[in-house]
PDB file of all heavy atoms in Angstrom:
ATOM      1  N   GLY A 347     -36.952  40.325  29.947  1.00  0.00           N
ATOM      2  CA  GLY A 347     -35.606  39.836  29.688  1.00  0.00           C
ATOM      3  C   GLY A 347     -35.292  39.618  28.217  1.00  0.00           C
ATOM      4  O   GLY A 347     -34.181  39.227  27.880  1.00  0.00           O
ATOM      5  N   ILE A 348     -36.246  39.848  27.361  1.00  0.00           N
ATOM      6  CA  ILE A 348     -36.045  39.605  25.931  1.00  0.00           C
ATOM      7  C   ILE A 348     -34.958  40.523  25.387  1.00  0.00           C
ATOM      8  O   ILE A 348     -34.049  40.072  24.684  1.00  0.00           O
ATOM      9  CB  ILE A 348     -37.365  39.796  25.157  1.00  0.00           C
ATOM     10  CG1 ILE A 348     -38.370  38.729  25.580  1.00  0.00           C
ATOM     11  CG2 ILE A 348     -37.121  39.766  23.654  1.00  0.00           C
ATOM     12  CD1 ILE A 348     -39.767  38.940  25.042  1.00  0.00           C
ATOM     13  N   GLN A 349     -35.057  41.803  25.701  1.00  0.00           N
ATOM     14  CA  GLN A 349     -34.091  42.777  25.195  1.00  0.00           C
ATOM     15  C   GLN A 349     -32.675  42.424  25.658  1.00  0.00           C
ATOM     16  O   GLN A 349     -31.729  42.492  24.879  1.00  0.00           O
ATOM     17  CB  GLN A 349     -34.478  44.170  25.691  1.00  0.00           C
ATOM     18  CG  GLN A 349     -33.843  45.280  24.927  1.00  0.00           C
ATOM     19  CD  GLN A 349     -34.594  45.574  23.660  1.00  0.00           C
ATOM     20  OE1 GLN A 349     -35.805  45.483  23.622  1.00  0.00           O
ATOM     21  NE2 GLN A 349     -33.899  45.922  22.619  1.00  0.00           N
ATOM     22  N   TRP A 350     -32.546  42.035  26.904  1.00  0.00           N
ATOM     23  CA  TRP A 350     -31.234  41.692  27.466  1.00  0.00           C
ATOM     24  C   TRP A 350     -30.617  40.513  26.718  1.00  0.00           C
ATOM     25  O   TRP A 350     -29.450  40.559  26.320  1.00  0.00           O
ATOM     26  CB  TRP A 350     -31.389  41.359  28.959  1.00  0.00           C
ATOM     27  CG  TRP A 350     -30.121  40.869  29.571  1.00  0.00           C
ATOM     28  CD1 TRP A 350     -29.097  41.627  30.071  1.00  0.00           C
ATOM     29  CD2 TRP A 350     -29.728  39.507  29.737  1.00  0.00           C
ATOM     30  NE1 TRP A 350     -28.093  40.821  30.539  1.00  0.00           N
ATOM     31  CE2 TRP A 350     -28.460  39.508  30.344  1.00  0.00           C
ATOM     32  CE3 TRP A 350     -30.319  38.289  29.436  1.00  0.00           C
ATOM     33  CZ2 TRP A 350     -27.772  38.343  30.651  1.00  0.00           C
ATOM     34  CZ3 TRP A 350     -29.643  37.126  29.741  1.00  0.00           C
ATOM     35  CH2 TRP A 350     -28.382  37.155  30.341  1.00  0.00           C
ATOM     36  N   LEU A 351     -31.397  39.442  26.505  1.00  0.00           N
ATOM     37  CA  LEU A 351     -30.896  38.261  25.819  1.00  0.00           C
ATOM     38  C   LEU A 351     -30.576  38.566  24.357  1.00  0.00           C
ATOM     39  O   LEU A 351     -29.534  38.149  23.839  1.00  0.00           O
ATOM     40  CB  LEU A 351     -31.913  37.117  25.921  1.00  0.00           C
ATOM     41  CG  LEU A 351     -31.497  35.787  25.311  1.00  0.00           C
ATOM     42  CD1 LEU A 351     -30.188  35.288  25.914  1.00  0.00           C
ATOM     43  CD2 LEU A 351     -32.609  34.763  25.507  1.00  0.00           C
ATOM     44  N   ALA A 352     -31.432  39.309  23.698  1.00  0.00           N
ATOM     45  CA  ALA A 352     -31.189  39.661  22.300  1.00  0.00           C
ATOM     46  C   ALA A 352     -29.932  40.514  22.162  1.00  0.00           C
ATOM     47  O   ALA A 352     -29.189  40.383  21.187  1.00  0.00           O
ATOM     48  CB  ALA A 352     -32.396  40.387  21.719  1.00  0.00           C
ATOM     49  N   GLU A 353     -29.689  41.363  23.136  1.00  0.00           N
ATOM     50  CA  GLU A 353     -28.484  42.200  23.126  1.00  0.00           C
ATOM     51  C   GLU A 353     -27.231  41.337  23.182  1.00  0.00           C
ATOM     52  O   GLU A 353     -26.211  41.665  22.582  1.00  0.00           O
ATOM     53  CB  GLU A 353     -28.524  43.175  24.306  1.00  0.00           C
ATOM     54  CG  GLU A 353     -27.541  44.298  24.240  1.00  0.00           C
ATOM     55  CD  GLU A 353     -27.818  45.300  23.133  1.00  0.00           C
ATOM     56  OE1 GLU A 353     -28.985  45.577  22.826  1.00  0.00           O
ATOM     57  OE2 GLU A 353     -26.839  45.818  22.554  1.00  0.00           O
ATOM     58  N   LYS A 354     -27.303  40.202  23.879  1.00  0.00           N
ATOM     59  CA  LYS A 354     -26.175  39.262  23.969  1.00  0.00           C
ATOM     60  C   LYS A 354     -25.953  38.532  22.643  1.00  0.00           C
ATOM     61  O   LYS A 354     -24.842  38.148  22.321  1.00  0.00           O
ATOM     62  CB  LYS A 354     -26.412  38.225  25.069  1.00  0.00           C
ATOM     63  CG  LYS A 354     -26.609  38.806  26.445  1.00  0.00           C
ATOM     64  CD  LYS A 354     -25.353  39.432  26.957  1.00  0.00           C
ATOM     65  CE  LYS A 354     -25.566  39.923  28.373  1.00  0.00           C
ATOM     66  NZ  LYS A 354     -24.671  40.990  28.744  1.00  0.00           N
ATOM     67  N   ILE A 355     -27.026  38.322  21.882  1.00  0.00           N
ATOM     68  CA  ILE A 355     -26.932  37.593  20.613  1.00  0.00           C
ATOM     69  C   ILE A 355     -26.503  38.529  19.487  1.00  0.00           C
ATOM     70  O   ILE A 355     -25.528  38.258  18.782  1.00  0.00           O
ATOM     71  CB  ILE A 355     -28.276  36.903  20.290  1.00  0.00           C
ATOM     72  CG1 ILE A 355     -28.596  35.868  21.388  1.00  0.00           C
ATOM     73  CG2 ILE A 355     -28.242  36.248  18.914  1.00  0.00           C
ATOM     74  CD1 ILE A 355     -30.002  35.314  21.330  1.00  0.00           C
ATOM     75  N   ILE A 356     -27.240  39.610  19.288  1.00  0.00           N
ATOM     76  CA  ILE A 356     -26.898  40.648  18.302  1.00  0.00           C
ATOM     77  C   ILE A 356     -27.176  41.993  18.960  1.00  0.00           C
ATOM     78  O   ILE A 356     -28.325  42.305  19.270  1.00  0.00           O
ATOM     79  CB  ILE A 356     -27.731  40.532  17.005  1.00  0.00           C
ATOM     80  CG1 ILE A 356     -27.421  39.243  16.275  1.00  0.00           C
ATOM     81  CG2 ILE A 356     -27.474  41.732  16.098  1.00  0.00           C
ATOM     82  CD1 ILE A 356     -28.229  39.046  15.011  1.00  0.00           C
ATOM     83  N   GLY A 357     -26.146  42.763  19.157  1.00  0.00           N
ATOM     84  CA  GLY A 357     -26.293  44.059  19.811  1.00  0.00           C
ATOM     85  C   GLY A 357     -27.143  45.024  19.005  1.00  0.00           C
ATOM     86  O   GLY A 357     -27.102  45.025  17.775  1.00  0.00           O
ATOM     87  N   SER A 358     -27.915  45.835  19.702  1.00  0.00           N
ATOM     88  CA  SER A 358     -28.778  46.803  19.029  1.00  0.00           C
ATOM     89  C   SER A 358     -27.967  47.838  18.262  1.00  0.00           C
ATOM     90  O   SER A 358     -28.440  48.395  17.276  1.00  0.00           O
ATOM     91  CB  SER A 358     -29.704  47.481  20.032  1.00  0.00           C
ATOM     92  OG  SER A 358     -28.949  48.152  21.021  1.00  0.00           O
ATOM     93  N   SER A 359     -26.747  48.088  18.684  1.00  0.00           N
ATOM     94  CA  SER A 359     -25.910  49.055  17.962  1.00  0.00           C
ATOM     95  C   SER A 359     -25.223  48.426  16.752  1.00  0.00           C
ATOM     96  O   SER A 359     -24.770  49.138  15.867  1.00  0.00           O
ATOM     97  CB  SER A 359     -24.861  49.642  18.909  1.00  0.00           C
ATOM     98  OG  SER A 359     -24.054  48.607  19.427  1.00  0.00           O
ATOM     99  N   VAL A 360     -25.193  47.097  16.685  1.00  0.00           N
ATOM    100  CA  VAL A 360     -24.571  46.408  15.555  1.00  0.00           C
ATOM    101  C   VAL A 360     -25.511  46.387  14.358  1.00  0.00           C
ATOM    102  O   VAL A 360     -25.134  46.777  13.250  1.00  0.00           O
ATOM    103  CB  VAL A 360     -24.163  44.970  15.950  1.00  0.00           C
ATOM    104  CG1 VAL A 360     -23.659  44.198  14.752  1.00  0.00           C
ATOM    105  CG2 VAL A 360     -23.145  44.995  17.062  1.00  0.00           C
ATOM    106  N   ASN A 361     -26.730  45.917  14.571  1.00  0.00           N
ATOM    107  CA  ASN A 361     -27.729  45.858  13.494  1.00  0.00           C
ATOM    108  C   ASN A 361     -29.102  45.892  14.151  1.00  0.00           C
ATOM    109  O   ASN A 361     -29.577  44.873  14.663  1.00  0.00           O
ATOM    110  CB  ASN A 361     -27.549  44.589  12.657  1.00  0.00           C
ATOM    111  CG  ASN A 361     -28.450  44.572  11.442  1.00  0.00           C
ATOM    112  OD1 ASN A 361     -29.592  45.042  11.471  1.00  0.00           O
ATOM    113  ND2 ASN A 361     -27.933  44.017  10.356  1.00  0.00           N
ATOM    114  N   TRP A 362     -29.746  47.045  14.123  1.00  0.00           N
ATOM    115  CA  TRP A 362     -31.005  47.230  14.834  1.00  0.00           C
ATOM    116  C   TRP A 362     -32.112  46.332  14.294  1.00  0.00           C
ATOM    117  O   TRP A 362     -32.868  45.750  15.062  1.00  0.00           O
ATOM    118  CB  TRP A 362     -31.408  48.700  14.785  1.00  0.00           C
ATOM    119  CG  TRP A 362     -32.716  49.002  15.443  1.00  0.00           C
ATOM    120  CD1 TRP A 362     -33.800  49.551  14.856  1.00  0.00           C
ATOM    121  CD2 TRP A 362     -33.084  48.771  16.808  1.00  0.00           C
ATOM    122  NE1 TRP A 362     -34.829  49.682  15.770  1.00  0.00           N
ATOM    123  CE2 TRP A 362     -34.398  49.202  16.982  1.00  0.00           C
ATOM    124  CE3 TRP A 362     -32.429  48.232  17.906  1.00  0.00           C
ATOM    125  CZ2 TRP A 362     -35.084  49.121  18.182  1.00  0.00           C
ATOM    126  CZ3 TRP A 362     -33.108  48.147  19.109  1.00  0.00           C
ATOM    127  CH2 TRP A 362     -34.417  48.593  19.244  1.00  0.00           C
TER     128      TRP A 362
END
Side-chain angles (χ1 to χ4, degrees):
I348 294 171
Q349 198 82 36
W350 174 84
L351 183 57
E353 194 68 35
K354 301 292 184 204
I355 298 169
I356 295 179
S358 60
S359 59
V360 174
N361 187 324
W362 178 239

